[in-house]
Amino acid sequence: MPKVPVMTNKSFPMGFILLGFSEWPHLEMILFWIVIILYTMIILSNSIIILLSCVDPHLYTPMYFFLSNLSFLDLCFTTTTVPHMLSNLWGPGKIITHTGCVIQLCMLLCLGATECVMLVVMAFDRYIAICQPLHYTIIMHHQFCWKLVLIAWLSGLIESVTQIPVTLQLPFCTHHRLDDFLCEVPALIRLTCGDTSAIEWQMTISAILFTIVPLALILTSYGYIAQALGKIQSKDGRQKAIATCSSHLTVVFMFYGTVAPVYTYPKNHFASTYSKFFTFFYTVVTPLLNPLIYSLRNKDVKNAMLQLLRRGSP
């Protein structure tokens, strides 16, 4: 039986060919303009959330502090992925260099894992606010909020540092064609021509730690929140709490629901077939919807926006 060709580490610096949506050439140009429009909206909407959280005193609370950090994460995430995606969609040049692939891989792992933890932090903030309102200001003080954000970023950094060396040692096939438009670990695993069981297990464990476990913690916290909401006497207070919590839950299910199928078991048929569509959703669609979901259903953000517009008007 002939040996299966592999790409050694010496040939890895040649880079990879990102196939993306090249099987639908007529769709690529349409997607190019769609992505440009969405990317512009992502920058504007997330920047507005960050700006409002910084300039409006009514938004100087832990909830909006974490929301502005989530918006910053989304800005970083899309800036890491979208420019190269646009380059991929624009013309026949689909190659990404070794350096570009490594940088993109590091950033994606770090930012993705950080966002997973940040969503848990935001759920914890809502739990304390609704279930222990009298102790909220004592527990969620400024220094503690910064520590939670630091933990989220350190978690992402650890995930990136742990995953990158193992991924780059994989026995890649000689054709080095990635059926994706990004350098992601699942796509690189599917490119290998050797035994990948070890890294698949590592990837699965990592996915469980950063998707399944956080989702379980979030749902548990919202179980307690649901019980506490029934005890709130004020109708307006209950509706405001429900609106805030439902917005966060919507974001949680959008993000985890698209990340988990791709990363939990990267070589299964479902992940292989639909991975690029899931990737497109959590790299472009979710960062756009996050600020819209929070702002459209949040009176505080709307009022802060109106006040900012009034200041700017002559």
Side-chain angles (χ1 to χ4, degrees):
M1 180 181 294
K3 292 184 178 179
V4 179
V6 299
M7 181 195 293
T8 63
N9 289 336
K10 291 181 179 179
S11 60
F12 180 79
M14 292 171 56
F16 295 101
I17 300 172
L18 298 172
L19 298 179
F21 294 104
S22 56
E23 55 191 288
W24 302 295
H26 299 293
L27 181 64
E28 284 190 314
M29 192 51 61
I30 297 173
L31 279 174
F32 175 82
W33 292 109
I34 291 175
V35 171
I36 280 186
I37 294 171
L38 294 179
Y39 185 43
T40 304
M41 293 174 65
I42 288 168
I43 293 175
L44 290 175
S45 58
N46 283 286
S47 298
I48 288 171
I49 292 290
I50 296 171
L51 177 64
L52 292 176
S53 299
C54 292
V55 301
D56 195 302
H58 296 95
L59 303 184
Y60 292 170
T61 63
M63 184 179 80
Y64 296 107
F65 173 70
F66 296 134
L67 179 57
S68 63
N69 274 276
L70 181 66
S71 292
F72 178 71
L73 273 170
D74 285 336
L75 283 175
C76 294
F77 200 80
T78 52
T79 303
T80 301
T81 59
V82 171
H84 198 277
M85 186 191 302
L86 290 171
S87 175
N88 186 289
L89 292 170
W90 177 254
K94 311 289 185 182
I95 296 176
I96 184 169
T97 63
H98 166 257
T99 303
C101 185
V102 172
I103 292 174
Q104 192 175 74
L105 198 60
C106 289
M107 295 298 292
L108 282 175
L109 286 171
C110 180
L111 294 170
T114 302
E115 183 154 344
C116 288
V117 179
M118 187 65 68
L119 290 172
V120 178
V121 169
M122 295 175 74
F124 175 74
D125 172 67
R126 290 300 83 205
Y127 165 77
I128 299 296
I130 295 172
C131 297
Q132 301 183 40
L134 298 178
H135 300 92
Y136 182 73
T137 54
I138 299 174
I139 297 174
M140 302 302 294
H141 55 83
H142 189 66
Q143 290 182 345
F144 184 62
C145 291
W146 271 108
K147 288 178 181 178
L148 290 175
V149 171
L150 181 61
I151 289 172
W153 279 98
L154 284 176
S155 300
L157 182 62
I158 291 171
E159 165 68 0
S160 180
V161 170
T162 304
Q163 200 68 44
I164 289 294
V166 182
T167 304
L168 298 183
Q169 294 299 318
L170 289 171
F172 299 110
C173 300
T174 52
H175 61 76
H176 51 87
R177 294 179 181 176
L178 286 173
D179 189 19
D180 209 330
F181 43 77
L182 300 174
C183 269
E184 290 192 293
V185 176
L188 290 168
I189 290 176
R190 290 192 292 271
L191 181 65
T192 55
C193 291
D195 181 25
T196 59
S197 56
I199 190 172
E200 283 186 64
W201 273 107
Q202 182 176 332
M203 189 77 254
T204 301
I205 293 170
S206 177
I208 290 172
L209 290 174
F210 284 98
T211 58
I212 307 301
V213 172
L215 183 59
L217 292 173
I218 291 170
L219 293 178
T220 301
S221 68
Y222 275 105
Y224 289 106
I225 288 172
Q227 294 177 0
L229 287 175
K231 301 176 182 178
I232 297 178
Q233 300 296 326
S234 170
K235 184 179 178 181
D236 291 338
R238 190 187 305 115
Q239 288 179 344
K240 184 177 180 180
I242 291 173
T244 304
C245 293
S246 59
S247 297
H248 181 247
L249 277 176
T250 303
V251 171
V252 165
F253 284 120
M254 281 195 311
F255 185 73
Y256 289 123
T258 51
V259 171
V262 177
Y263 278 84
T264 304
Y265 188 18
K267 271 197 171 181
N268 71 78
H269 176 72
F270 182 78
S272 300
T273 305
Y274 300 103
S275 62
K276 66 181 71 175
F277 297 100
F278 283 121
T279 302
F280 183 84
F281 193 91
Y282 65 71
T283 55
V284 179
V285 180
T286 300
L288 171 64
L289 294 179
N290 284 355
L292 295 179
I293 290 170
Y294 279 109
S295 59
L296 292 176
R297 305 186 66 179
N298 192 305
K299 290 182 180 179
D300 292 336
V301 175
K302 290 179 183 178
N303 292 335
M305 186 65 187
L306 289 173
Q307 289 181 7
L308 184 64
L309 292 173
R310 286 168 187 166
R311 291 177 193 171
S313 59

